[in-house]
Amino acid sequence: MQIEFTQLCLLVEEHPDCREAACLLQEELLLRTGHAPTIRVADGSPPGGPSITFTLCGAPALPDQDSFLIRRDGAQLTISAWGRRGLTYGFGLFLRKTEYHGGRILLVREIEGTHTPHKKIRGHQTGYRATPNTYDAWGPSQFERCYRDMMLFGANTCEVIPKDEQDTGPLMRYDADDMCALCSEIADRLDLDVSVWYPFSAKQAREEMLREREALFARMARIDAVFPPGGDPGELPAQEFVERCVLLRQALRKFHPRAELWPSAQAPHGQPDWGEEFLAAAAVHAGEIDGVIYGPNHAMPLEVLRRRLPEGMPLRFYPDITHCQRCEYPVRYWANGWHYAFGCTFGRESICPRPMEFARLHRETDRFVAGSVSYSEGVHDDVNKMLWSALDFCPEEPVEEILLDYARAFLWEAPAERVMQGILMLERNWEGDPAQCPAIEQTFSLWQAMAQETPSLLQNWRFLLLLFRAECDVLVRRRRIFELQLLDRAKACLRHGGRPAALVILREEMDTGYRALRETINRHAAMLFGEIGLQLDVKHYGAKSWERGATLDTLDLPVTDRPWLQRRLELALQLPEPEQSERIDALLNREEVHKGECYFSFASDGVAGLHAQQEGEWYMNVQGDRPSVNNGQLPMALTKLYDHFSLRAVFSGLTPGTDYRLRVVYSSRKMPQDAFLRITANGQTVYEGQPYGGAPDPVFDEWLLAPGVFSASYPLPARMVQGGTLELFWQEETRGIEIAELWIVKA
């Protein structure tokens, strides 16, 4: 369908909420068309053309303030709601379903009907502090624009963060508590709920804690909820934590009588019984806690927490839709399967549209929670935010349609279908090895073509954000292909005795086209900082660290073994024979095994390569994006460390009746005195004792590993290999184990 709404007028019932909603829509349409529609009171006379009328209606026509009703008669729309909030959602739906061409406004989907949100709580955290890679560069106008954009997709909550003296930076032009107060005023004008993320400190006495919080609460025009995390950060014992929450609720309601208190079941590190103690304390104080939050570093899995909470106590989700690795939901979170080449170069907080992944996560978690306020550190997750809000409002909406809405709402100068396809292609770019994904080139071509066809799109930070990601993806792919080819040539040269020639090959540089693309990426990074305050490096744009979205600081990190092999070869060529030949042979055959043997790396093979289900929730400690580690001394096989209290693996294809040796590469972190490691093979004990035991090999470690890891070897007698299969199991229950790779070779 296409219904013309060009030159529409806005009609309002005589009420401030109707007029305010009309003024907001007027501003949105001026932004999209260059024309501001007139606003006049609805007096019953014919509008004389396309129109949108804002009216109020309450129960029983609509169940709550977040619902709205749209009636359409040709090109006349009527939006009805309890008040300003519902009216905003109503015109937000109109904006998501309209296209703009040469000043024309075309409604392309039917929007008539009653619209009621699926979830009660729908929002995002946008904290003003130095840690995020965007928000600390903002002022009140940027936060207002952010809140209005969130509401276009059905969000009803913004979450602010008070001052933290340890989390300030040079880009912050305002006092953080002043900004909390300003943001609460902005949100209140929009009728947007305000939540406050407010951690406790064990160093602060109860009385001081209450005085500090009361001073802030008194300044804020609106607070609907307060969220004290149990951990991350937090170190209070559970009983003390809950008791402080109860006191905090009492102080909060002096200033905001209807505000709610939602503690999170995020457990402090080093307190294994915290979750059980929290549940016990929460049950005692059930009448003084309005709900519980589930987030990163959770005390127990979501379904367990839901089952164990007192009946009727709601659970709010704090989904991490902002990080790519070293987080709760890394890229391809069900298998932690992000290729190390991307993990090295994009790091923890890169531009990360992941619509299909997060739609999957939403389906998996939906039945347990009353709603969600997402964890966000900047605009790099903008697509994820809007998608999540849309699904919280209407989970039946197809992902493709939500992305079309995103294009129509924010990138109206571009063809919506191509934007939708381009976002999905960006997500698919991150599936597997970039060197084996020619679609990355097609993705880049699509975004580049839209920029060339409509240059004004480069002034839209959302378009520029997605174009920047496409450029970085293709840069990584091209460099990886180039370096893999160099490695093949250099290794062939080494195998034929051409050692100096191999070194020359490894030192070859990328062509001028590559360097030109890298300069374009730099230019677009500067534009993104100017447009929206996105901090893509530490030196020029003030990112807090390389880990905080500073893509320019990690984009050039190694994505193959080329720099490692080059450094090792330079050292080897300084050695006398026969040691030189021995070392070069070791380099060439580092990961080679013979028939009936196995080699495994978490970076190269992923958890799926273990062919076994792990117990509990494991963590992947990624090393590749750390500039001080991945600086040429790190083989790619060591870019990921599996971190958990146990590890199970099954390897087949071994030779029965043969003695083997197991070599394991562990993290060299210090283990506690009471740590106890047990390794079994097909149920038989391989090793028991203080971690990590086994036979050391200093030459192997020095030559083929890197700082921060070491190897240990264990005998595997033939009796342990049953039917050519080996089921290995590691268990250490105090600190856990960190493993990077292993070999199973014939003794």
Side-chain angles (χ1 to χ4, degrees):
M1 62 175 286
Q2 282 194 354
I3 299 175
E4 186 96 26
F5 274 84
T6 310
Q7 301 297 322
L8 84 166
C9 66
L10 305 179
L11 307 177
V12 298
E13 183 180 308
E14 278 283 18
H15 191 280
D17 284 352
C18 293
R19 181 162 290 277
E20 181 61 28
C23 289
L24 292 173
L25 177 56
Q26 182 187 55
E27 292 176 12
E28 298 291 346
L29 292 172
L30 175 63
L31 187 66
R32 288 158 175 77
T33 67
H35 173 74
T38 58
I39 300 175
R40 62 181 175 85
V41 175
D43 57 8
S45 61
S51 66
I52 297 178
T53 303
F54 291 93
T55 67
L56 299 184
C57 71
L62 292 172
D64 54 49
Q65 65 175 338
D66 285 14
S67 300
F68 60 94
L69 171 65
I70 295 183
R71 296 186 298 273
R72 186 178 66 81
D73 182 7
Q76 277 78 50
L77 284 183
T78 301
I79 302 175
S80 305
W82 281 20
R84 185 177 309 176
R85 180 189 286 187
L87 294 173
T88 300
Y89 298 145
F91 78 67
L93 181 62
F94 174 78
L95 291 174
R96 299 201 315 267
K97 304 301 182 182
T98 45
E99 294 182 354
Y100 304 85
H101 305 286
R104 297 176 66 198
I105 304 173
L106 298 174
L107 180 67
V108 297
R109 297 285 192 273
E110 182 59 79
I111 59 176
E112 188 172 24
T114 300
H115 302 268
T116 299
H118 174 63
K119 294 297 185 187
K120 177 183 176 182
I121 307 166
R122 311 175 305 280
H124 306 286
Q125 184 183 89
T126 54
Y128 185 70
R129 53 183 183 148
T131 295
N133 60 46
T134 311
Y135 306 133
D136 53 334
W138 285 6
S141 61
Q142 284 92 351
F143 279 103
E144 179 174 355
R145 181 70 263 174
C146 173
Y147 295 165
R148 289 172 62 168
D149 288 351
M150 285 163 45
M151 292 186 76
L152 295 185
F153 279 77
N156 68 358
T157 304
C158 64
E159 189 159 83
V160 300
I161 296 178
K163 185 190 313 186
D164 179 351
E165 297 292 353
Q166 306 302 313
D167 200 0
T168 61
L171 295 176
M172 297 173 68
R173 295 169 288 150
Y174 300 83
D175 176 86
D177 285 353
D178 289 347
M179 185 60 79
C180 281
L182 288 167
C183 285
S184 72
E185 292 176 12
I186 295 166
D188 194 42
R189 288 199 304 271
L190 297 169
D191 196 14
L192 185 66
D193 285 356
V194 177
S195 175
V196 184
W197 181 84
Y198 214 152
F200 296 123
S201 170
K203 298 176 182 178
Q204 192 176 44
R206 289 187 179 189
E207 295 76 14
E208 183 185 355
M209 177 272 294
L210 290 172
R211 282 196 303 271
E212 178 189 276
R213 282 153 179 73
E214 286 186 4
L216 179 66
F217 298 160
R219 298 181 57 193
M220 295 182 66
R222 178 171 185 158
I223 299 179
D224 299 274
V226 174
F227 163 11
D232 193 25
E235 59 280 338
L236 290 172
Q239 180 69 33
E240 172 68 13
F241 172 69
V242 172
E243 289 176 2
R244 288 195 179 205
C245 287
V246 171
L247 292 173
L248 180 61
R249 185 175 186 262
Q250 296 168 1
L252 173 64
R253 292 200 164 186
K254 294 178 186 178
F255 307 96
H256 304 278
R258 294 195 299 264
E260 297 181 340
L261 193 285
W262 290 70
S264 78
Q266 294 170 265
H269 293 294
Q271 298 187 38
D273 298 326
W274 192 93
E276 292 297 326
E277 294 167 1
F278 171 79
L279 288 171
V284 171
H285 296 281
E288 300 164 288
I289 292 174
D290 298 288
V292 170
I293 292 172
Y294 173 87
N297 295 302
H298 43 262
M300 58 195 69
L302 177 59
E303 63 275 13
V304 175
L305 180 61
R306 175 64 277 168
R307 187 173 67 248
R308 299 284 306 280
L309 284 174
E311 186 176 355
M313 182 175 286
L315 183 60
R316 184 181 113 182
F317 195 16
Y318 182 38
D320 183 350
I321 61 173
T322 200
H323 294 120
C324 296
Q325 58 190 20
R326 288 193 296 278
C327 61
E328 188 177 18
Y329 301 110
V331 175
R332 301 179 66 76
Y333 65 88
W334 55 91
N336 213 312
W338 204 21
H339 193 272
Y340 61 77
F342 286 132
C344 292
T345 50
F346 285 96
R348 190 165 183 249
E349 282 179 17
S350 55
I351 298 161
C352 57
R354 295 163 60 189
M356 289 299 183
E357 279 199 51
F358 286 127
R360 170 179 175 158
L361 179 65
H362 196 277
R363 290 192 301 272
E364 292 172 350
T365 57
D366 177 70
R367 65 188 183 277
F368 300 111
V369 298
S372 55
V373 176
S374 81
Y375 179 11
S376 174
E377 299 285 26
V379 301
H380 62 284
D381 60 9
D382 188 70
V383 169
N384 305 336
K385 283 199 202 73
M386 303 308 161
L387 172 103
W388 198 273
S389 290
L391 292 173
D392 271 348
F393 204 101
C394 181
E396 293 82 21
E397 191 83 344
V399 170
E400 293 84 354
E401 182 64 20
I402 295 172
L403 297 181
L404 286 169
D405 286 352
Y406 185 87
R408 291 186 288 250
F410 300 134
L411 303 170
W412 53 86
E413 293 179 284
E417 183 74 23
R418 290 173 71 188
V419 171
M420 179 268 287
Q421 292 293 345
I423 293 173
L424 292 173
M425 291 167 74
L426 285 172
E427 182 176 29
R428 289 194 294 268
N429 279 1
W430 281 0
E431 297 177 5
D433 185 344
Q436 299 174 12
C437 183
I440 291 174
E441 300 283 350
Q442 298 165 15
T443 306
F444 170 63
S445 296
L446 182 147
W447 288 100
Q448 188 181 49
M450 283 193 283
Q452 291 169 348
E453 292 162 10
T454 313
S456 58
L457 283 168
L458 293 176
Q459 299 170 23
N460 183 317
W461 66 263
R462 285 185 167 95
F463 179 86
L464 193 56
L465 198 76
L466 299 168
L467 173 63
F468 180 90
R469 230 304 293 282
E471 292 167 342
C472 292
D473 283 357
V474 83
L475 188 91
V476 171
R477 168 179 159 79
R478 291 175 184 177
R479 187 166 89 252
R480 180 160 166 79
I481 290 173
F482 174 75
E483 293 192 357
L484 288 173
Q485 292 171 347
L486 291 190
L487 283 169
D488 286 344
R489 290 168 51 207
K491 288 180 179 180
C493 200
L494 286 172
R495 290 189 175 99
H496 291 87
R499 295 172 184 176
L503 202 52
V504 171
I505 292 171
L506 291 172
R507 290 171 176 166
E508 290 182 19
E509 295 184 357
M510 292 289 295
D511 60 20
T512 56
Y514 177 92
R515 294 195 292 273
L517 176 59
R518 187 63 175 81
E519 284 305 312
T520 298
I521 288 170
N522 287 342
R523 186 170 67 256
H524 288 165
M527 293 168 65
L528 282 165
F529 179 73
E531 288 288 331
I532 197 62
L534 182 61
Q535 299 137 42
L536 288 161
D537 76 5
V538 173
K539 180 179 178 181
H540 301 96
Y541 308 119
K544 188 174 184 181
S545 75
W546 55 268
E547 190 177 29
R548 296 295 176 182
T551 304
L552 298 183
D553 290 339
T554 55
L555 188 59
D556 302 316
L557 293 182
V559 295
T560 70
D561 284 341
R562 174 199 180 184
W564 174 78
L565 182 61
Q566 180 182 326
R567 290 179 62 164
R568 297 281 97 184
L569 183 55
E570 288 169 348
L571 292 173
L573 293 179
Q574 299 173 25
L575 299 174
E577 290 289 5
E579 188 178 2
Q580 182 179 128
S581 294
E582 292 172 356
R583 295 294 177 93
I584 291 175
D585 285 345
L587 294 175
L588 289 172
N589 301 307
R590 183 186 187 278
E591 294 155 23
E592 298 291 330
V593 290
H594 300 292
K595 184 178 180 181
E597 299 179 339
C598 294
Y599 167 76
F600 173 85
S601 158
F602 280 99
S604 303
D605 302 303
V607 177
L610 297 171
H611 305 291
Q613 183 68 40
Q614 303 308 313
E615 299 176 357
E617 298 179 331
W618 44 271
Y619 177 76
M620 197 64 73
N621 190 351
V622 181
Q623 306 295 302
D625 61 336
R626 303 179 189 272
S628 62
V629 175
N630 190 10
N631 56 8
Q633 63 182 348
L634 190 72
M636 292 296 102
L638 297 176
T639 54
K640 292 184 179 181
L641 289 163
Y642 172 93
D643 185 353
H644 192 33
F645 296 103
S646 65
L647 172 65
R648 190 177 301 277
V650 177
F651 297 102
S652 302
L654 304 176
T655 304
T658 302
D659 292 336
Y660 280 87
R661 179 168 53 88
L662 169 67
R663 186 200 300 272
V664 186
V665 176
Y666 298 104
S667 166
S668 56
R669 71 182 179 189
K670 187 176 181 180
M671 297 291 282
Q673 290 295 318
D674 59 345
F676 185 84
L677 174 67
R678 184 165 190 254
I679 307 174
T680 62
N682 287 328
Q684 302 176 59
T685 300
V686 174
Y687 173 78
E688 285 184 328
Q690 175 74 21
Y692 284 95
D697 189 339
V699 174
F700 177 91
D701 292 0
E702 177 189 4
W703 192 243
L704 296 179
L705 298 183
V709 296
F710 71 99
S711 69
S713 295
Y714 313 91
L716 296 173
R719 58 182 167 77
M720 293 184 176
V721 181
Q722 299 175 1
T725 298
L726 198 64
E727 181 174 347
L728 294 168
F729 184 68
W730 288 255
Q731 187 170 37
E732 201 295 306
E733 297 181 342
T734 59
R735 179 61 180 83
I737 53 175
E738 276 191 320
I739 296 179
E741 57 182 344
L742 62 85
W743 288 257
I744 302 170
V745 297
K746 295 174 182 176

